[in-house]
Amino acid sequence: MKIAVFLQTCPQRRTDRLPTIASIEQSDIGTDFTVLEHPEEQDLRTFFRHVLEAMADSGADYALRLEDDVVVNRHILHNFSNWSALDDPLFGAGWLFVPQAALSSQCRTSCGVKYRSVAEMWAALAVAIPVKYVPACLNELARSEARSEKMTQDFPLSRGVWHMGKRCFFHEPSLAENRDPPTAFGTKYPPRTKKQHLFAGSTFSADWKRLLTTTPDLTP
């Protein structure tokens, strides 16, 4: 399985992103990732289209898009590539950063199965998606532009796979956490909303590693 890793960032975070880069390099990603920096003269929608196009053209099986304000699990590639959800016919994308609120029934996580039961999912800080599904996300980005919707980087991903009949699955434990540096656009959130909706909290584990089970060879 080939996983192409992309770090999406902007000039305002050239210093603030250094802990994220250090975390990535200390994980099993190492230095094998691509940094995509938002050109200052380019609007967000155009740049995000460029990010999705880079993912689609990567030639990998999966693309992992990270934002520049996370820290990641040390075994993130191992844990993702051995995740049983990848074999589910409904798998459309993997949210590897899972905010605490997303796991509550009030936020419409399907009962007994950790995937989103509505089209929209927020907090796309660490999302892995089959490369073959990325064109659907590009199509959704174009549709949102045609509808003159406010630009968001979360909904083109979640809606894109939803319209394919797929779902956004949540990895537990979370394989990334929000570092909470100053926002690039000055966005402010109420404290309680911020804690529940923007942080994985106790659902994140920096050192957790999935144990692989093997079937005993009973051949005489």
Side-chain angles (χ1 to χ4, degrees):
M1 177 189 297
K2 183 177 180 182
I3 304 171
V5 181
F6 298 89
L7 176 64
Q8 182 178 336
T9 186
C10 60
Q12 299 95 314
R13 289 267 180 86
R14 285 178 180 161
T15 298
D16 285 333
R17 72 191 180 204
L18 294 179
T20 291
I21 290 175
S23 172
I24 294 170
E25 292 180 343
Q26 291 163 13
S27 76
D28 55 4
I29 297 171
T31 58
D32 188 14
F33 64 98
T34 301
V35 177
L36 299 174
E37 184 176 278
H38 188 166
E40 294 187 22
E41 72 282 358
Q42 201 170 74
D43 65 88
L44 180 57
R45 194 183 304 272
T46 300
F47 175 58
F48 192 57
R49 183 181 301 114
H50 168 68
V51 171
L52 293 176
E53 289 171 346
M55 292 163 61
D57 295 340
S58 65
D61 301 302
Y62 291 88
L64 170 58
R65 172 187 167 272
L66 300 170
E67 295 189 4
D68 58 7
D69 50 358
V70 300
V71 291
V72 301
N73 170 275
R74 291 195 307 113
H75 312 286
I76 186 169
L77 294 186
H78 166 87
N79 290 327
F80 172 73
S81 61
N82 292 288
W83 187 17
S84 62
L86 303 186
D87 297 323
D88 194 303
L90 283 176
F91 184 87
W95 249 243
L96 307 189
F97 164 73
V98 185
Q100 298 171 64
L103 298 176
S104 69
S105 58
Q106 290 84 355
C107 282
R108 300 185 182 180
T109 300
S110 290
C111 182
V113 181
K114 299 305 182 193
Y115 60 72
R116 185 76 163 161
S117 60
V118 292
E120 291 84 15
M121 178 57 200
W122 78 97
L125 278 66
V127 173
I129 183 171
V131 166
K132 63 184 178 182
Y133 295 167
V134 177
C137 302
L138 280 161
N139 291 340
E140 179 56 36
L141 183 65
R143 283 194 290 267
S144 70
E145 184 174 18
R147 294 190 294 261
S148 299
E149 290 183 346
K150 182 179 178 181
M151 175 57 196
T152 170
Q153 300 174 96
D154 307 320
F155 293 172
L157 295 168
S158 57
R159 285 177 178 168
V161 298
W162 177 272
H163 290 312
M164 296 179 64
K166 306 295 183 179
R167 298 292 179 266
C168 297
F169 279 68
F170 297 155
H171 193 286
E172 290 188 78
S174 182
L175 300 180
E177 175 61 296
N178 188 351
R179 291 192 297 107
D180 193 32
T183 65
F185 304 103
T187 308
K188 296 184 182 300
Y189 302 91
R192 186 177 184 280
T193 297
K194 186 173 184 178
K195 180 178 179 181
Q196 295 294 319
H197 290 259
L198 297 180
F199 291 93
S202 61
T203 73
F204 170 66
S205 176
D207 297 315
W208 182 81
K209 185 175 184 179
R210 175 169 279 111
L211 296 178
L212 302 183
T213 59
T214 57
T215 302
D217 184 0
L218 302 180
T219 304

